[in-house]
Amino acid sequence: MEVHLVPAFADNYIYLLRDAATGKVGVVDPGDAAPVKAALRERGWSLTHIFATHHHDDHIGGCTELKAESGATLIGARADSHRIPGLDIALDDGDSVTFGGETAEILSVPGHTRGHVAFWFAGAKALFCGDTLFALGCGRLFEGTPEEMWGSLTALRRLPDDTAVYCGHEYTLSNARFAVTVDPDNPDLRRRAEAIAAARERGEPTIPFTLGEDKRTNPFLRADDPGVQAAVGLPGADPVRVFAEIRSRKDHFRG
């Protein structure tokens, strides 16, 4: 499965997918139709599927226009049926959907929003997680609780280390600056933060990243790690409490 990044707005990423065997073309979280249409024209592709991880307008704002022009099938969470106009296939946690020769499993990952889902393409080793998991970060808790988000992150953490993660935003540089304040003695994190700073200086995206790398360096995935717990002054505490403390610190971080 081919995956192409389509930048949008200030820091969003939209993803074009193509199944080479069948020629099916999908798009993930098209907040803006214009760059998607330009990318399709450039490649001579015709859109057949639209995947929506959650209802925020910067992720679905282009869905109606793209669907009207292409006839593509719009796929998203049943829990968000009332908030994603024109949803054709409404799915629940554990359901699956076929995209050409690939199959995506639906993972319910509430926290950022109540109805948030991720699309896990096991065959392609690709995860499209919207605003639940970011490189070295996670989404703000606009509708969910720390318990829900920690549960969602641990569910994603169980996927294979070689999973390529495609998230909704280029927040990585800021996330790295924050992460080293929480986990300053992590040599893997220090090396990754330096590589991220260099990549952004060159104008390169930091997405996709591998899940294994994030498991070693993302403090939001490591709220049950004794080192992270000690670093935030909560040794031996419930991971949900530790996660909530890290999330609160990030919410107030300026860097």
Side-chain angles (χ1 to χ4, degrees):
M1 185 173 72
E2 299 176 43
V3 182
H4 298 273
L5 277 66
V6 179
F9 307 122
D11 51 35
N12 279 67
Y13 285 131
I14 300 167
Y15 299 102
L16 273 187
L17 319 179
R18 183 176 182 271
D19 178 60
T22 62
K24 299 294 186 183
V25 176
V27 64
V28 180
D29 285 354
D32 186 0
V36 176
K37 292 194 290 184
L40 291 168
R41 283 195 302 270
E42 178 183 344
R43 294 167 174 81
W45 292 353
S46 298
L47 191 64
T48 59
H49 295 71
I50 303 171
F51 299 91
T53 63
H54 64 294
H55 72 90
H56 285 164
D57 193 57
D58 64 323
H59 290 255
I60 67 165
C63 287
T64 299
E65 182 177 344
L66 291 170
K67 181 181 172 182
E69 293 188 6
S70 67
T73 300
L74 177 54
I75 302 158
R78 188 182 308 279
D80 262 351
S81 295
H82 62 299
R83 301 198 289 187
I84 301 179
L87 197 62
D88 296 301
I89 299 179
L91 299 169
D92 297 309
D93 183 59
D95 288 344
S96 61
V97 63
T98 299
F99 170 65
E102 301 285 347
T103 299
E105 181 182 349
I106 309 307
L107 306 176
S108 177
V109 285
H112 182 64
T113 66
R114 290 187 299 275
H116 204 302
V117 294
F119 298 95
W120 160 232
F121 289 85
K125 297 182 178 180
L127 173 70
F128 299 89
C129 56
D131 289 357
T132 296
L133 175 65
F134 296 123
L136 294 176
C138 76
R140 286 180 178 267
L141 307 186
F142 288 129
E143 298 176 7
T145 65
E147 290 85 355
E148 287 175 321
M149 183 61 100
W150 175 242
S152 296
L153 293 175
T154 56
L156 295 180
R157 194 174 65 174
R158 289 193 287 269
L159 297 177
D161 283 0
D162 59 354
T163 299
V165 182
Y166 298 88
C167 60
H169 294 269
E170 181 60 73
Y171 290 162
T172 315
L173 185 59
S174 175
N175 287 345
R177 290 169 176 160
F178 170 74
V180 296
T181 71
V182 174
D183 194 13
D185 298 323
N186 184 334
D188 290 334
L189 172 58
R190 287 286 183 183
R191 284 190 291 270
R192 189 179 181 191
E194 291 172 2
I196 287 164
R200 295 307 293 155
E201 183 69 25
R202 295 189 299 268
E204 298 172 357
T206 62
I207 312 302
F209 58 95
T210 65
L211 188 57
E213 183 177 38
D214 224 43
K215 291 177 188 180
R216 297 189 299 272
T217 55
N218 186 340
F220 292 99
L221 290 179
R222 300 174 59 235
D224 53 356
D225 182 284
V228 171
Q229 293 179 342
V232 298
L234 294 170
D238 183 334
V240 172
R241 183 183 174 198
V242 177
F243 169 80
E245 172 64 22
I246 299 170
R247 184 62 258 178
S248 177
R249 292 187 184 193
K250 181 62 168 67
D251 290 343
H252 298 92
F253 180 72
R254 299 291 180 266

